[in-house]
Amino acid sequence: MKKTQDIIKLIHSLVPDNKKIRIMNVCGSHEHTIAFSGMRSLMPENLEIIPGPGCPVCVCPESDIINAINLSKKDDIILVTYGDMLRVPTQQGSIRAEGRNFRMITSPFEAINIARTNPDKKIVFFSIGFETTTAPTAGILEMGVPENLFILSSHRLTPTIMEVLVKDAEIGIDGFIAPGHVSAIVGSNAWNVFSEKYGIPTVVAGFEADNLLLGILEILRQLKDGSVRTSNVYSGVVKSEGNVRAQKLMEKYFEVADVNWRGVGYIPASGLELRDRYAERNAREVFELEEIKEAKIPGCICGAIILGKAYPSACKLFKKACTPKAPKGPCMVSFEGACNIWYKTN
Amino acid sequence: MKKIEIGHGSGGRLTRELIQKVFLKYFNSEELKPLEDAAYIRLKNHNTALTTDSYVVRPLFFPGGDIGKLSVCGTVNDLAVSGAVPGYLSIGIILEEGFPIGSLEDIVKSIGETSRNAGVRIAAGDTKVVEKGKCDGVYINTTGIGEIARPLFPDNISPGDAVIATGTLGDHGTAIALARDEFAIKSRVESDCAPLNGLLTPLFEIEGLKWMRDPTRGGAATVLAELSDLTGLGVEIFEDKVPVREDVRFISDMLGYDPLYLANEGKALIIASDESAGKIVGILRKHSLGHNAAIIGNISSKFKGARLRTRIGGERLLDVLEEDMLPRIC
């Protein structure tokens, strides 16, 4: 506790009185810790900690979810996906409300088990998330999956979206807290581009409040000294080169693609699709899925929230028409979503 | 007799047989035995507390308890935290056609044992059977009456009072979440489901005792937020003082739950004057259900609402639970 208070004091001493400093986190679990520890209430007035695009459920395109709903309505298909995806609203409802044959899983291995125990069905694994969840999906493909298992890949790349944010002058980011889990896969070196090319201090942090505070302190020190670099205060878990085996497997099975981010739009080279040579496993190809035009949710500003341009409380729907029980926008669904977290802690 | 048939709810011979062979075997109170339309019960005075609750928990059997035990504890605890000494219970059971008699017997046995442990008598009962698919195995309603020994009102609460938890928070919610087998997680967490009258009755004599509530659905956070609404006062609790089992904390982190919002079925939150709080905790800790009792916070007039002072010293709002994280928790 004393150590924590010392770090907070140092943070206060390093934030200038006459300038706003904006530090962005890009991980739903980081935002969770920040909000649930009441960290913002301890920060100096001129220091903003902004939630960025850290919630994979929130950015998953509506088109993929609607396709998943429609697949689950077919008699010979069982759709399997992570729990939060079941509740994400679309113009055609959620998977839970409108889908028919669907199951929640917590790991890709369960998808294999479901495929094995239902040999007469086609199992579509709606695989979403950043690098953290891509790696295990690549892992099951490497192990060999049953003939009746297909992947609907909606994976997204963290470094690419972060670079989009850096280039957007409206956001104005002074420092990044790099995501702990993603860094464990891609390695802290993956963030060098931000410190070297854009001059933004980037610090890999873990998920304990103390560790995050240390990360914030490190960013402020670099800003003060002008010694910008990529640092790692989560070195027990994250290595500079990351998990090389996981990276190789991802490279083997997936290729970079231009993909849509919900509420944001198409971003070049920001997602992962199965490579052509695995087309027979690709649900998009096998079931000839077509893109459905994204519908705007009236009043919802999830797009701006994902990009760090607005806080959830700025949304007209927040805590009124949009609640965790009846979410209107995707950011209110998952416990990694900024609106869901904000709802519970503010 | 292996499975519940529609006829078991007919009121005729099969019903009689079910009552004799299953219910009376475990509920052998003199009030119930005559099997009249109403039981004659003795109330020592007219200051009586009355409560009712229905139980639809899924799954019916979970680590640390079952729907039968829960249906006794929930109602006994509602009386106990209201300052009443629970006396009698009624049990209404709705059964699904085809439900195994063996499982019913396990539930009924559990009701019998728990009510004996709690020192309450089952004075009335009812059974209905609905067609297969019209209910999920068993639903139970219990009504309880008790004598008011120590009337408790939130109006007595004042700034400076202490907030006490009788033990670790979030055990029941975690046990039920894991018992549903949706998350392939193995753990030793058990529901805390227990009748609290034995633990709480000795506190009725303490002058500084002001108010109690059992934090079931919505958890401790919801109770404290409601308390703030009731009194117009602020409630602050300290994260590092709130007792939470290590495994419950770990599993909650993993699943995105907050132990402060998870249900408890064998815990109470107590508001007491600052001077009496230490004594109350001392009494609680001597009881097997109160080993982990602790003062977790206090009442303040300086702000409104309920808030958590986090481990790092930050502030976080505690609000009434909006999202039912786990439907059918009790």
Side-chain angles (χ1 to χ4, degrees):
Chain A
M1 188 73 180
K2 186 171 175 303
K3 196 181 122 222
T4 310
Q5 297 313 317
D6 290 344
I7 299 172
I8 293 168
K9 260 189 214 148
L10 281 169
I11 287 174
H12 276 258
S13 74
L14 288 172
V15 173
D17 294 335
N18 55 355
K19 186 178 175 282
K20 272 241 181 253
I21 305 237
R22 291 162 59 86
I23 295 176
M24 179 180 270
N25 74 76
V26 282
C27 166
S29 300
H30 276 160
E31 179 52 33
H32 195 266
T33 302
I34 290 163
F36 276 76
S37 67
M39 197 178 287
R40 289 191 177 89
S41 70
L42 298 166
M43 292 295 109
E45 207 179 318
N46 275 346
L47 178 62
E48 262 189 275
I49 310 175
I50 312 161
C55 165
V57 172
C58 307
V59 300
C60 184
E62 190 189 32
S63 175
D64 284 356
I65 305 172
I66 294 172
N67 273 318
I69 294 173
N70 292 335
L71 284 171
S72 80
K73 286 179 177 166
K74 298 193 172 159
D75 289 337
D76 59 342
I77 288 181
I78 301 175
L79 180 88
V80 300
T81 191
Y82 301 117
D84 284 335
M85 284 313 298
L86 300 179
R87 298 177 51 234
V88 180
T90 72
Q91 53 185 309
Q92 293 184 25
S94 65
I95 298 174
R96 177 171 279 176
E98 297 301 323
R100 192 145 57 91
N101 310 314
F102 60 85
R103 297 209 196 145
M104 182 188 102
I105 56 169
T106 50
S107 105
F109 298 100
E110 289 171 54
I112 294 186
N113 286 339
I114 292 170
R116 289 215 174 104
T117 48
N118 295 276
D120 54 332
K121 301 271 187 198
K122 297 179 181 119
I123 312 304
V124 177
F125 173 26
F126 184 16
S127 185
I128 71 123
F130 297 113
E131 293 81 347
T132 335
T133 50
T134 318
T137 299
I140 60 164
L141 288 165
E142 177 71 4
M143 283 165 58
V145 297
E147 285 295 301
N148 60 333
L149 181 70
F150 305 89
I151 311 281
L152 174 55
S153 168
S154 203
H155 288 293
R156 297 290 176 268
L157 296 168
T158 317
T160 317
I161 187 74
M162 282 166 68
E163 209 163 347
V164 170
L165 298 176
V166 168
K167 288 177 183 162
D168 191 329
E170 196 190 324
I171 306 167
I173 297 163
D174 297 303
F176 273 123
I177 303 170
H181 293 140
V182 172
S183 300
I185 304 285
V186 301
S188 57
N189 286 345
W191 318 115
N192 288 346
V193 57
F194 299 105
S195 48
E196 288 167 11
K197 187 171 165 192
Y198 298 104
I200 295 176
T202 303
V203 178
V204 177
F207 301 95
E208 294 293 332
D210 283 337
N211 197 256
L212 274 161
L213 285 168
L214 213 55
I216 291 168
L217 179 63
E218 172 62 22
I219 290 171
L220 293 171
R221 274 185 176 147
Q222 290 187 23
L223 285 172
K224 175 130 184 167
D225 302 347
S227 59
V228 172
R229 61 191 176 275
T230 299
S231 305
N232 181 5
V233 296
Y234 196 38
S235 54
V237 174
V238 174
K239 305 291 164 224
S240 53
E241 72 283 6
N243 183 337
V244 177
R245 184 168 146 71
Q247 291 164 22
K248 281 193 180 145
L249 285 181
M250 283 158 65
E251 173 69 26
K252 179 175 172 187
Y253 291 97
F254 291 95
E255 64 186 357
V256 173
D258 303 345
V259 293
N260 194 13
W261 292 60
R262 190 168 186 182
V264 176
Y266 263 87
I267 299 176
S270 66
L272 293 174
E273 276 296 350
L274 279 184
R275 287 192 181 278
D276 284 345
R277 59 176 175 272
Y278 306 107
E280 80 281 6
R281 297 267 72 82
N282 188 342
R284 242 180 258 286
E285 305 283 333
V286 173
F287 302 103
E288 296 172 352
L289 302 181
E290 283 182 12
E291 172 136 7
I292 296 148
K293 195 174 176 307
E294 187 169 307
K296 204 168 157 29
I297 305 160
C300 173
I301 61 163
C302 276
I305 291 166
I306 286 163
L307 295 175
K309 293 181 180 179
Y311 288 111
S313 43
C315 180
K316 281 183 295 193
L317 307 180
F318 181 70
K319 276 203 177 188
K320 295 185 185 92
C322 187
T323 65
K325 205 170 178 178
K328 284 256 192 265
C331 297
M332 189 55 95
V333 176
S334 162
F335 71 86
E336 291 189 315
C339 296
N340 182 290
I341 295 171
W342 227 256
Y343 186 95
K344 290 170 178 163
T345 53
N346 285 274
Chain B
M1 198 168 70
K2 282 248 159 54
K3 282 194 172 163
I4 289 295
E5 298 165 30
I6 284 287
H8 281 123
S10 65
R13 186 184 57 77
L14 276 175
T15 306
R16 191 95 193 159
E17 190 182 315
L18 183 71
I19 291 170
Q20 297 289 357
K21 288 196 176 156
V22 178
F23 292 104
L24 284 184
K25 189 168 156 193
Y26 299 102
F27 305 164
N28 46 2
S29 76
E30 58 185 89
E31 292 79 12
L32 196 62
K33 266 190 195 142
L35 294 179
E36 294 289 351
D37 273 359
Y40 290 151
I41 56 177
R42 285 172 295 279
L43 297 174
K44 280 184 191 142
N45 58 44
H46 297 289
N47 294 324
T48 306
L50 172 71
T51 187
T52 191
D53 216 333
S54 299
Y55 300 86
V56 295
V57 68
R58 180 173 66 82
L60 297 172
F61 298 88
F62 47 84
D66 55 68
I67 190 169
K69 184 179 182 187
L70 194 64
S71 71
V72 174
C73 297
T75 296
V76 163
N77 294 348
D78 280 348
L79 290 169
V81 295
S82 307
V85 177
Y88 298 98
L89 287 186
S90 77
I91 311 263
I93 299 192
I94 295 170
L95 291 161
E96 182 185 10
E97 180 187 10
F99 189 72
I101 297 282
S103 302
L104 175 64
E105 190 160 346
D106 289 341
I107 291 167
V108 171
K109 187 176 170 197
S110 174
I111 294 175
E113 277 171 14
T114 312
S115 56
R116 265 190 300 286
N117 290 342
V120 290
R121 295 154 80 113
I122 293 159
D126 177 54
T127 312
K128 295 283 188 298
V129 177
V130 295
E131 302 93 318
K132 196 163 182 59
K134 301 287 181 190
C135 95
D136 194 0
V138 182
Y139 298 147
I140 301 179
N141 171 276
T142 57
T143 293
I145 55 176
E147 293 162 32
I148 302 168
R150 174 70 189 274
L152 298 167
F153 304 102
D155 318 12
N156 299 334
I157 297 172
S158 50
D161 285 350
V163 182
I164 298 164
T166 62
T168 53
L169 299 178
D171 300 3
H172 178 74
T174 307
I176 295 290
L178 297 187
R180 293 206 181 145
D181 228 16
E182 285 166 4
F183 318 98
I185 301 172
K186 300 249 179 295
S187 89
R188 291 175 182 210
V189 181
E190 289 195 346
S191 166
D192 55 351
C193 181
L196 289 172
N197 51 338
L199 176 73
L200 301 179
T201 309
L203 306 181
F204 295 169
E205 287 166 19
I206 294 175
E207 203 190 319
L209 175 70
K210 299 198 173 177
W211 191 76
M212 298 194 282
R213 185 70 78 80
D214 56 334
T216 54
R217 276 176 303 176
T222 300
V223 166
L224 297 175
E226 283 172 355
L227 175 65
S228 173
D229 278 348
L230 280 171
T231 57
L233 294 166
V235 183
E236 180 165 68
I237 59 168
F238 299 88
E239 194 174 27
D240 53 3
K241 295 195 173 146
V242 175
V244 177
R245 281 172 60 126
E246 211 35 58
D247 44 8
V248 167
R249 192 184 299 285
F250 181 79
I251 292 162
S252 296
D253 275 355
M254 215 160 85
L255 301 180
Y257 296 150
D258 179 349
L260 288 172
Y261 285 90
L262 287 175
N264 307 276
E265 289 294 340
K267 300 289 154 45
L269 292 176
I270 299 170
I271 310 298
S273 69
D274 189 40
E275 307 80 63
S276 64
K279 189 174 175 192
I280 287 177
V281 169
I283 296 171
L284 291 170
R285 284 193 180 165
K286 280 188 198 130
H287 194 282
S288 59
L289 294 173
H291 284 325
N292 296 308
I295 298 172
I296 61 167
N298 52 54
I299 306 291
S300 168
S301 57
K302 295 199 178 103
F303 62 97
K304 282 200 173 22
R307 71 188 189 193
L308 177 75
R309 181 65 62 186
T310 67
R311 206 165 273 114
I312 62 167
E315 270 177 28
R316 163 154 71 95
L317 172 84
L318 299 175
D319 207 346
V320 174
L321 177 75
E322 162 95 17
E323 182 186 16
D324 209 351
M325 288 183 287
L326 292 164
R328 295 179 54 192
I329 191 94
C330 59

